[in-house]
Amino acid sequence: MKILWKTGLAAASLVLFAACAAPSATAANDPPKVLHAFLSTGETGLDPAVASDVASLTLLENLFDPMLRYDYLARPVKLQPNTLRAMPEVDAAGTTYTFHLQPGIHFTPDAAFKGQPREVTAQDYVYSLKRLYDPALKSPWVFLFEDKIVGDEALRRDFSYDSPIPGLQALDKYTLRIRLKAPDASFLFYLALPASGVVAREVAEAYGSQVGNHPVGSGPFMIGEWKRSDKITLLANPGFRPTVFHAGPDADPASRAIATGLEGKRLPLLDKIEVKIMEEYQSRVLGFLNGEFDFIEQVPESMRDMVLDPNLSQPVLKPELARRGMQLMPFPVLQTYYMWMNMDDPVIGGYGKAQVALRRAIALGYNSGEDIALLKKGLALAAQTPLPPNVLGYDPSYRSPVSYNPVLARALLDRFGYRKGKDGFRSRPDGSPLTLVMHTEPSMVGRLRDELWRKNLNALGLRVEFKSDKKTEIIKASRLGKVMMFETNWVADFPDGDNFYQLLYGPNSGRANYANFKLPEYDRRYEQARRLGDTPQRRVLYRELAQLIHAYNPWVLLTHPISADIRQPWLKNYMRHPVEFSNWRYLDLDPQQRSEAGRAPKSAK
C-alpha cells in the first residue's frame, strides 16, 4: 500500500516558518532546481535509530543532523563539525569528549511542537543516543556504543530515558560531554553516522512506533510527498541554519574545479529532490539515458554494455554518450569482495597443514585477472588485503603473497595427499571423497560467478557443487555454522581499517566473522590495533594481520569494486564520497541546459 505523507498542521506551520526563513537558493524568476535521483531499493522507514538499509540511510543523511559529518572533498576522508561550533575537545587520556553545539539550530516544524519553533539542544543528543539502547527499538547500531560509555550498563539493566548516565551528560543547553570507559580510536566516526542524528523527544513520543513514518529532523532537506517504496520528494529546509561551503586544505587535487564552484556558497543549492525507487536494473539505466535521472551510480555489471564501450578493456563511455556531454566518473567504493571458508567445517576447516594447503590452493586457483576483465568489465581492483583504498590503514605498497598460480596450487595439493582419481577429481588425504559445497545467490550475476569458480576449481582437480538460496537465508545458515563456502562482500560502516579486520576477530565468530576464524595470534594483534589511531605502529600490526590471513587462508580475497558512475552534463559539483551515501546538499544544476537537452532530437544528443 502506498502512503502519502502529509500533515495539515505541519504544512500550515511550514508556511509560517518559510516566511521567516532565509530566501531560497533559487532567485524568484529562475526555474526551481529539482534534482532527479533514484534509489535501487525501497526504504524501510526513516527512524535514525532503526534504519540500516542503504535506501533509508541515504534519505536520513539529508533529513537528520549528527554532530559530525565528513568533509566533502578531503582525501583521505576527514571529519568536520556539523552541528558543532568546532571539533570536540578530547582529554589527554582519550576518554572524555566535550561537544559545543551551535545555537540557533531548529527542527523542522511539526504538530508535536504545538506551533512553536523548537531549538536543538545538547539534551536532544543525550536522548537520541539513549534511543539506540531502547530494547523496544532493537537498534542495529547499539553495538557501536554499548559497554563503551561510562555507566551505560544502567540502560541495559533497566532501560529508562530518564536514567542518569555519568558518561552521557548535557552540561548546559549547548554543551554535551561523553566519557568512555576506554579509548576508542573510531568513536568520532560513530557520531557521523545517520544513526547518531538528533531526534526530538516530543516527536518520538507523539508518533510512537510510527515515528519512522514521520521524520522530523534539522537537516538541509525535509519530507514533502512520500509514496511508500515508489516516490519520495525532499524539499529544501527553509529554516536550515546558515551553512557556507569552504574547501579545506585536505581537498583532493582532482576536485579543484568543484571546490572553486562551491566556495562561499550557501547550502543546499537545490530547491527539491525527487527520488524514485527503481529496483529493475534495466529501468535505471534506460531512465538515465532518457534524461529522467541526473546521475547514475554503480551501473550494474549486467548493464555495462549499454553505456560502456565493449571493445575496450578499460571503462570508457560509448562515443554517442560522450557526445551528449555525459561524463564517466569511476569511483573505488569502500567495499571488499571475498570468499570465506568455514574454519569449523570438517572438510575445509581446521588449522593443520593439510587443511591450510587445501584453502591456500583454492586461493591460488582464483583468477582475479579473468574475474576483473570478464565479469567486472575492468571496474575493480584486485584485493591485496581486506582494506580497500581510502580506508584509514590502507597500504598501497602491500602485495599479497597469494596470487593466481594454478601450477603451484596443484603441486601443493599433491604434496599434502589430495590425490587425483580416475575421474580427474581429488580425494581427501584419508582417501575419502572430496566435494566442496559453495552457497550462491539465484541471479544472473551469481550464475556467472559460479561458472568462474567451477572452471578455476575444476582446473585444480577439485569437485565443487553449488547450493542456491536467498542471501538472507545463507547468512542465517552461516551463523549456525552450516555453510562451507560463500562469496560475499563488506561495505564500510566507517572509513577505518578496524571495520574490516574485525571480520576475522575470534569473538565475532557466529556474527560478522562468518569464517569462524579463531587464531590467538590474530586476536592479540587486532586487540592491540583497535586501541590505536591511524599510526605507524598500527600500520605494522595491520601488515601482520594481513600476513596471518594469507598464511591460514580463511578468506580468498577477491576484489574492491570500482563503481561506474555517470553524470548528465547539466549536473554540477558531483563527486562521490567514500563513506557518505549521498552528496545532494552540494549538488547544483542548470535547469535551462537540462530543458534544452530534453528538446534536442536524439541524433543531436
Side-chain angles (χ1 to χ4, degrees):
M1 181 177 71
K2 295 178 181 177
I3 299 175
L4 181 62
W5 186 88
K6 196 172 280 186
T7 307
L9 180 55
S13 299
L14 173 58
V15 173
L16 176 63
F17 196 64
C20 304
S24 166
T26 302
N29 296 326
D30 293 337
K33 295 179 178 180
V34 182
L35 181 75
H36 298 288
F38 69 82
L39 294 172
S40 57
T41 59
E43 74 293 350
T44 57
L46 299 179
D47 181 348
V50 175
S52 61
D53 60 285
V54 171
S56 298
L57 294 173
T58 300
L59 296 166
L60 288 170
E61 274 188 349
N62 294 280
L63 299 170
F64 289 87
D65 268 327
M67 288 186 283
L68 301 170
R69 65 177 303 104
Y70 291 91
D71 184 315
Y72 182 38
L73 302 180
R75 305 292 184 274
V77 296
K78 181 181 179 181
L79 291 172
Q80 65 181 19
N82 184 37
T83 57
L84 303 179
R85 285 183 279 171
M87 289 297 289
E89 301 162 4
V90 189
D91 72 346
T95 56
T96 300
Y97 294 79
T98 305
F99 306 84
H100 299 283
L101 294 182
Q102 298 178 41
I105 297 173
H106 289 84
F107 290 103
T108 55
D110 188 81
F113 302 137
K114 304 185 187 305
Q116 298 299 313
R118 174 63 161 81
E119 190 176 13
V120 174
T121 68
Q123 187 59 44
D124 291 319
Y125 277 104
V126 171
Y127 172 75
S128 300
L129 292 176
K130 283 184 176 181
R131 288 188 80 234
L132 303 179
Y133 291 80
D134 188 338
L137 298 180
K138 296 182 173 61
S139 174
W141 303 102
V142 67
F143 78 97
L144 294 172
F145 296 92
E146 64 181 349
D147 203 34
K148 294 181 181 179
I149 297 176
V150 173
D152 71 351
E153 56 272 5
L155 295 176
R156 301 196 311 276
R157 183 174 59 247
D158 184 20
F159 181 82
S160 170
Y161 284 107
D162 297 316
S163 295
I165 305 301
L168 183 59
Q169 293 182 320
L171 302 184
D172 58 43
K173 187 175 183 179
Y174 302 118
T175 308
L176 173 70
R177 186 178 65 196
I178 299 178
R179 289 193 292 134
L180 304 181
K181 297 175 182 177
D184 185 337
S186 298
F187 180 67
L188 290 181
F189 289 126
Y190 310 156
L191 299 180
L193 291 168
S196 300
V198 65
V199 175
R201 184 168 185 170
E202 303 98 304
V203 173
E205 292 180 348
Y207 297 111
S209 62
Q210 295 300 308
V211 70
N213 294 326
H214 298 271
V216 179
S218 56
F221 295 95
M222 55 193 294
I223 286 286
E225 184 183 41
W226 182 4
K227 295 181 179 179
R228 175 76 71 174
S229 296
D230 177 21
K231 179 182 177 181
I232 304 163
T233 299
L234 302 185
L235 306 174
N237 177 4
F240 188 57
R241 62 190 175 278
T243 302
V244 177
F245 182 88
H246 294 294
D250 301 310
D252 187 335
S255 68
R256 188 170 297 130
I258 295 175
T260 300
L262 276 171
E263 186 64 30
K265 291 186 176 178
R266 182 167 173 175
L267 305 177
L269 300 168
L270 300 168
D271 297 292
K272 182 192 297 186
I273 303 171
E274 292 186 354
V275 184
K276 289 285 292 179
I277 307 302
M278 304 292 290
E279 296 187 348
E280 292 293 328
Y281 288 172
Q282 189 173 36
S283 298
R284 297 177 210 163
V285 179
L286 289 176
F288 172 77
L289 294 178
N290 290 333
E292 297 169 22
F293 303 116
D294 297 320
F295 62 93
I296 183 170
E297 294 178 345
Q298 218 145 343
V299 174
E301 293 177 12
S302 58
M303 296 287 110
R304 286 177 184 167
D305 286 348
M306 293 179 66
V307 294
L308 303 182
D309 193 328
N311 301 313
L312 299 176
S313 59
Q314 295 300 311
V316 176
L317 272 183
K318 284 186 171 183
E320 58 268 31
L321 301 185
R323 285 194 296 269
R324 290 168 59 181
M326 296 179 185
Q327 185 177 355
L328 174 68
M329 307 179 76
F331 175 76
V333 292
L334 297 191
Q335 187 174 13
T336 299
Y337 277 83
Y338 59 99
M339 193 273 287
W340 57 261
M341 294 172 276
N342 185 357
M343 297 293 286
D344 292 338
D345 184 85
V347 174
I348 207 170
Y351 298 82
K353 292 182 178 179
Q355 294 95 332
V356 171
L358 175 59
R359 293 193 300 274
R360 185 170 301 165
I362 292 170
L364 290 166
Y366 164 68
N367 189 340
S368 65
E370 186 176 27
D371 184 2
I372 292 171
L374 298 183
L375 298 188
K376 298 292 194 301
K377 305 294 185 184
L379 285 163
L381 303 171
Q384 308 297 328
T385 76
L387 304 190
N390 289 318
V391 163
L392 296 177
Y394 171 74
D395 182 354
S397 67
Y398 184 90
R399 290 295 176 267
S400 167
V402 182
S403 57
Y404 180 57
N405 191 332
V407 174
L408 179 58
R410 286 189 285 267
L412 195 62
L413 292 169
D414 290 339
R415 179 180 176 184
F416 284 92
Y418 294 93
R419 307 297 179 195
K420 277 189 178 181
K422 293 180 180 180
D423 59 0
F425 290 109
R426 297 179 185 270
S427 60
R428 299 172 69 183
D430 63 4
S432 61
L434 172 59
T435 300
L436 303 176
V437 180
M438 183 181 291
H439 275 65
T440 182
E441 296 180 68
S443 65
M444 183 173 70
V445 173
R447 288 190 292 273
L448 290 172
R449 299 208 59 75
D450 294 350
E451 288 310 307
L452 179 63
W453 276 113
R454 190 190 308 276
K455 174 185 174 183
N456 289 342
L457 294 173
N458 286 177
L460 306 181
L462 296 174
R463 179 186 284 109
V464 60
E465 297 177 354
F466 295 93
K467 187 174 181 180
S468 180
D469 206 343
K470 293 180 179 179
K471 187 169 185 176
T472 52
E473 297 303 315
I474 297 172
I475 295 302
K476 287 179 185 176
S478 299
R479 288 173 174 161
L480 297 173
K482 296 181 179 180
V483 175
M484 182 189 291
M485 311 162 68
F486 180 54
E487 181 180 317
T488 189
N489 67 89
W490 184 263
V491 183
D493 296 312
F494 50 90
D496 192 84
D498 177 78
N499 196 233
F500 287 84
Y501 279 117
Q502 59 94 16
L503 298 173
L504 286 165
Y505 180 49
N508 286 341
S509 296
R511 296 186 291 178
N513 182 358
Y514 296 121
N516 293 311
F517 185 56
K518 307 178 192 74
L519 189 72
E521 296 97 319
Y522 185 98
D523 294 347
R524 184 171 61 253
R525 288 171 173 82
Y526 172 75
E527 288 166 357
Q528 290 175 327
R530 74 184 307 180
R531 292 192 289 268
L532 302 171
D534 185 30
T535 60
Q537 183 183 358
R538 192 178 75 160
R539 287 192 284 274
V540 170
L541 290 167
Y542 276 3
R543 179 174 283 260
E544 293 174 358
L545 290 174
Q547 290 170 342
L548 288 170
I549 294 171
H550 293 129
Y552 287 90
N553 296 111
W555 284 7
V556 179
L557 285 160
L558 305 178
T559 59
H560 306 303
I562 296 175
S563 175
D565 301 345
I566 312 174
R567 70 170 181 86
Q568 299 284 8
W570 53 79
L571 184 64
K572 302 176 183 179
N573 308 331
Y574 176 88
M575 186 173 181
R576 280 281 291 279
H577 190 273
V579 183
E580 292 188 333
F581 296 98
S582 72
N583 51 11
W584 299 344
R585 71 185 66 203
Y586 306 104
L587 298 183
D588 199 357
L589 48 82
D590 186 333
Q592 183 176 350
Q593 187 179 358
R594 176 202 272 155
S595 178
E596 291 173 353
R599 291 195 300 269
K602 285 284 184 180
S603 59
K605 293 182 182 179

